[in-house]
Amino acid sequence: MFADLGLVFVAEFVRRIRSRPFMIGTGIGVLMIGVFAVLPALMERGVSNSSNHIGVGGASAVRAQAEKLLGADDFTIVDVDTAPSNVTRQFLKEHDNIAGLVMVEKAEHGLRAIAYADDPGTFPVERVARDLSTLNIALGTGIPTQLVAHLRAIRIDVRGVGGRFDSATRAEATRGVTLFLVFILYLITLLNSQMLMASVAEEKTSRIAELLVASISPSALLSGKVLATGLAGILQLVIWSLTELFVGTKAGAIENFQTLVNAITPEIVVVFLIFFVVGFLEYSLLFAAAASLISRTEDLGSFTLPLVLPVISAFVIAQFALEAPNSQTVVVTSFIPLLSPFVMFTRFMVATIPLWQVGVAVLLNVAALAVIAPFAGKLYRVGLLLYGRTPKLSQIWAVLRS
């Protein structure tokens, strides 16, 4: 039994990592992770370049103060010598293609401002109003602008009280790590389970499985395939994680690398691997067993959808758990097998929960795996050698009861 298992495992693992789909999928994953790591910074830079250049017009005294406030942090001020009474798009283009022209003047009780924008929907009116509010208060009260700016600058130091995080920076870094790990768990579980399903279906429809089970037991064949697929998934996980860290650090997407590294503790690695293994085994066994029942590869879609829905549901609930880890729905689903590898891991990362809850979730998943494994093995055995037609429910039930 173990000799057959080892033989299938080695052969399947080597075949999988040398296969073109595995190489292409891993390469595309590396490319996409690299793109997603730098895309937010590129998009923010593009948006800021297009909307941060503005012009300021009006009386010289008020205009000078407004330019100083707007140009302090948020905007690049473009010189506008004389503002016409009728601002046109051509005028904005001629002045360095500015996003808009802000006309300011002193009013009876403060400041009056009118913005002429090429695209009013994207013009950063809230940032302009925030920056000019200091001048508005100064003109309305007579208090010097510098004093108003000093009084408005309130620094709030947020500190955790008995929770999981001692600072906002650490909380943000941990949520980023959690989102990345949950996404990787979702991606690897879904992709590799579907690859395993396609492999089983291909072997059955090509009748290769008939030759394999003549010399190797179906249980050893199924176990070897699942373990090889799982190890290949872990290999992809390592490659993608290293890519995210390297590209994110080089591109500046990870601003505080040391904070991110500190957020990944040994206990996080252990808990993640535990939930990854049990979750992957649960889904892989179910996908492989379902694939053994098809008679044509065209039928894969109809068998895949019911198995994909729990993975998608678990991923969606995990996103909700990032913000509300102790809500009733999240707490309940964190103990349900097939869902808890995603949800309980997210709760463990972002909330202070008793370790016994994590232990109970692991035990429930192990118990579910103990039920799924023989169920999938029997289903795999009966379905693998039936060609030309899908087994009837009565046949499946008879095999499961045996």
Side-chain angles (χ1 to χ4, degrees):
M1 170 66 180
F2 290 104
D4 291 342
L5 174 61
L7 181 63
V8 173
F9 169 76
V10 173
E12 185 69 18
F13 178 73
V14 172
R15 184 184 71 84
R16 187 165 294 280
I17 63 174
R18 294 179 62 181
S19 66
R20 184 172 299 176
F22 179 84
M23 294 182 181
I24 294 176
T26 304
I28 292 177
V30 169
L31 180 62
M32 294 303 295
I33 288 174
V35 170
F36 286 137
V38 301
L39 188 59
L42 292 177
M43 292 182 65
E44 183 178 354
R45 187 180 308 167
V47 171
S48 63
N49 288 340
S50 62
S51 63
N52 283 7
H53 289 69
I54 63 174
V56 181
S60 58
V62 179
R63 171 185 172 186
Q65 296 182 72
E67 287 182 344
K68 184 177 180 180
L69 291 171
L70 291 169
D73 296 310
D74 292 335
F75 299 97
T76 299
I77 305 301
V78 177
D79 291 333
V80 178
D81 298 331
T82 303
S85 58
N86 183 24
V87 181
T88 63
R89 177 178 294 180
Q90 184 63 30
F91 176 84
L92 299 180
K93 289 185 177 181
E94 290 175 353
H95 290 79
D96 201 19
N97 198 26
I98 56 178
L101 174 65
V102 180
M103 299 295 296
V104 294
E105 62 179 12
K106 184 177 180 180
E108 183 178 357
H109 299 292
L111 178 72
R112 181 172 184 264
I114 302 175
Y116 298 92
D118 181 30
D119 185 353
T122 60
F123 185 76
V125 63
E126 293 182 358
R127 285 191 292 156
V128 172
R130 182 187 64 209
D131 290 348
L132 293 180
S133 63
T134 299
L135 181 57
N136 184 45
I137 296 173
L139 293 176
T141 61
I143 301 175
T145 306
Q146 293 82 356
L147 180 57
V148 174
H150 176 72
L151 294 175
R152 291 185 68 243
I154 303 175
R155 179 177 178 179
I156 301 177
D157 186 12
V158 181
R159 300 180 181 181
V161 182
R164 186 173 182 84
F165 309 113
D166 54 3
S167 67
T169 302
R170 185 173 176 83
E172 184 179 353
T174 303
R175 280 187 169 83
V177 171
T178 305
L179 180 62
F180 172 72
L181 291 178
V182 170
F183 177 72
I184 290 296
L185 176 61
Y186 166 79
L187 197 62
I188 289 181
T189 299
L190 194 59
L191 292 181
N192 283 277
S193 295
Q194 289 184 320
M195 288 176 61
L196 176 63
M197 191 177 194
S199 175
V200 172
E202 180 184 359
E203 289 180 354
K204 179 183 176 180
T205 54
S206 64
R207 305 188 76 97
I208 295 177
E210 188 175 355
L211 300 176
L212 292 175
V213 296
S215 56
I216 300 175
S217 68
S219 299
L221 184 60
L222 176 61
S223 301
K225 281 182 169 295
V226 170
L227 292 177
T229 304
L231 185 58
I234 292 176
L235 180 60
Q236 283 184 322
L237 170 63
V238 172
I239 294 174
W240 291 344
S241 299
L242 293 177
T243 301
E244 170 69 15
L245 291 176
F246 177 78
V247 176
T249 304
K250 293 295 182 181
I254 301 175
E255 297 179 358
N256 195 334
F257 180 73
Q258 189 60 45
T259 302
L260 180 63
V261 171
N262 292 338
I264 306 177
T265 62
E267 66 175 0
I268 289 176
V269 175
V270 171
V271 172
F272 174 77
L273 289 177
I274 291 174
F275 280 119
F276 171 80
V277 170
V278 295
F280 181 82
L281 290 177
E282 287 172 345
Y283 283 106
S284 295
L285 289 170
L286 291 175
F287 271 79
S292 68
L293 299 177
I294 71 166
S295 56
R296 301 177 305 167
T297 54
E298 292 84 358
D299 297 332
L300 273 175
S302 59
F303 280 85
T304 302
L305 182 59
L307 298 175
V308 169
L309 289 178
V311 188
I312 297 176
S313 301
F315 183 69
V316 171
I317 297 173
Q319 307 310 300
F320 179 66
L322 284 172
E323 301 299 330
N326 293 318
S327 68
Q328 184 175 2
T329 302
V330 171
V331 173
V332 171
T333 54
S334 66
F335 292 100
I336 300 177
L338 297 178
L339 301 180
S340 64
F342 296 86
V343 184
M344 180 58 79
F345 174 72
T346 303
R347 291 188 63 217
F348 170 79
M349 288 288 290
V350 301
T352 303
I353 61 175
L355 288 180
W356 67 262
Q357 293 190 10
V358 179
V360 169
V362 172
L363 290 177
L364 289 174
N365 276 272
V366 171
L369 189 59
V371 174
I372 291 173
F375 166 81
K378 291 181 179 180
L379 203 61
Y380 181 80
R381 185 172 66 250
V382 69
L384 202 60
L385 298 178
L386 290 177
Y387 296 95
R389 57 186 176 87
T390 302
K392 297 180 180 179
L393 291 177
S394 58
Q395 292 177 302
I396 296 175
W397 179 245
V399 172
L400 294 178
R401 292 183 59 186
S402 61

